[in-house]
Amino acid sequence: MSEGTMQRVAVQRDDQRARNERNAQRRAGRLRRGLVCAAAVPVVALFAAACSSDSGSDAKGTETGAGSSAATSSTGSTAPSPTVQAAKYQNLPEPCAVLSKQTLTDLVPQGAKSGKEGKSGDVATRGSCSWSSLDNNGVKGSQFRWLNISFLRFDSDGNRGSGDQQAAAYYTSQVQDAQSVTGAKNTKSEPVTGAGDQATAVRYDLKKKEGAFKQQTVVARVANVVVTLDYNGAGLAGEKTPDADTLTKAAVKAVKEAVAAVTTGSNGSAASGSSPAATPSKSASASPSASASPSKSSAKKG
């Protein structure tokens, strides 16, 4: 065999050996991939099973929780409405009869018998009465007086609160309204004792086309009832302007009689000038800016 032939045979053997090695490597690679995949299948299956198990557990837990919540909701009861103390006073006195004849004579000398009761859809809840007096002295002028007294009673309610609480809130609003009267000058307020649980007297000057008026407003609360008294006076046609201190003193006396009528269930007109003692009032200084406003009816007068 020639040398060239021997070289070709050697090359062919080397090529065949290389092909055999490559084939063996490919087979080994396929075998390894097969083993890896085979090993991965149980893991994936296990993972899928675990996820499926968790999902089932969560769903079951959610369902159980929902069921438990529903059961709680179905068995639970709504909280009862808060219980409030019953209102102390269930009725109001007759508004035109709460003041004694002497008090009316002092406040409205020419109109003591002219009391006019306001309209009310429920006399056990609200009521009012007004009097007017004109002492005409001809060319010397006239003295004018006007008086209005009103009552508002509150019933206890589970949502709005006790009658006392509602009355206290209304009392405060009445007191605050008066010191914000448009055009009022020289406004002063002071607590009143001996007129229920709370009482405040407010006075101010008010200039009107008829003359200079002295306005007094006294607001008092006794338990679940609020009493508002408006009293004003003026000297007309050149007559002297009345003294504010005198008017305030008369208004305070009148409101005490009205409060006593609420607490005793009696009417002042049937009694003498003096009235039964009422519960001492608390100071209204807690609301220093508060002031009672004239009632709507008083705003129309004077």
Side-chain angles (χ1 to χ4, degrees):
M1 181 179 297
S2 65
E3 183 177 353
T5 300
M6 292 176 62
Q7 290 177 349
R8 286 196 297 274
V9 171
V11 170
Q12 290 175 353
R13 284 200 300 268
D14 291 340
D15 289 341
Q16 184 62 42
R17 188 181 303 110
R19 283 196 295 273
N20 291 340
E21 289 179 356
R22 287 195 295 273
N23 290 335
Q25 290 175 355
R26 283 196 293 271
R27 286 195 298 271
R30 284 195 296 271
L31 178 60
R32 286 194 298 271
R33 286 195 297 274
L35 292 174
V36 169
C37 289
V41 169
V43 174
V44 172
L46 179 61
F47 177 76
C51 292
S52 175
S53 175
D54 289 344
S55 298
S57 175
D58 288 347
K60 182 178 180 181
T62 303
E63 182 178 342
T64 302
S68 175
S69 177
T72 302
S73 176
S74 63
T75 57
S77 58
T78 304
S81 299
T83 302
V84 295
Q85 183 178 4
K88 184 174 183 178
Y89 299 108
Q90 300 298 317
N91 293 286
L92 293 174
E94 184 182 346
C96 289
V98 295
L99 301 181
S100 68
K101 292 180 181 180
Q102 184 59 55
T103 297
L104 288 173
T105 300
D106 291 342
L107 271 67
V108 283
Q110 303 302 316
K113 298 180 180 180
S114 65
K116 184 178 180 180
E117 187 169 350
K119 294 181 179 180
S120 174
D122 183 1
V123 294
T125 300
R126 63 177 65 242
S128 66
C129 191
S130 61
W131 298 260
S132 63
S133 171
L134 180 63
D135 186 5
N136 192 341
N137 296 311
V139 295
K140 294 182 179 180
S142 304
Q143 284 291 334
F144 174 77
R145 301 288 186 273
W146 184 77
L147 171 67
N148 183 84
I149 190 164
S150 63
F151 299 84
L152 189 60
R153 187 184 65 81
F154 294 86
D155 284 318
S156 295
D157 182 272
N159 295 319
R160 295 190 296 269
S162 69
D164 285 25
Q165 291 172 326
Q166 296 176 69
Y170 179 71
Y171 163 84
T172 299
S173 70
Q174 286 287 87
V175 170
Q176 290 175 341
D177 284 348
Q179 284 189 337
S180 60
V181 172
T182 302
K185 302 293 184 181
N186 304 318
T187 303
K188 297 179 181 179
S189 64
E190 58 184 9
V192 175
T193 59
D197 299 305
Q198 295 174 282
T200 301
V202 181
R203 73 186 193 190
Y204 53 84
D205 299 336
L206 196 61
K207 183 70 175 180
K208 298 184 180 182
K209 62 180 181 179
E210 297 88 351
F213 283 75
K214 297 291 185 179
Q215 173 71 41
Q216 334 296 312
T217 299
V218 186
V219 184
R221 179 185 71 84
V222 52
N224 60 311
V225 177
V226 176
V227 181
T228 303
L229 184 143
D230 293 303
Y231 182 49
N232 63 46
L236 307 179
E239 181 64 282
K240 183 180 179 180
T241 301
D243 179 66
D245 289 337
T246 301
L247 295 181
T248 299
K249 183 177 179 180
V252 168
K253 176 186 177 183
V255 86
K256 288 182 178 181
E257 288 188 18
V259 167
V262 173
T263 59
T264 63
S266 63
N267 292 321
S269 61
S272 62
S274 61
S275 61
T279 305
S281 65
K282 298 177 181 178
S283 172
S285 58
S287 302
S289 62
S291 159
S293 65
S295 62
K296 294 181 179 179
S297 56
S298 70
K300 299 177 183 178
K301 293 289 182 177

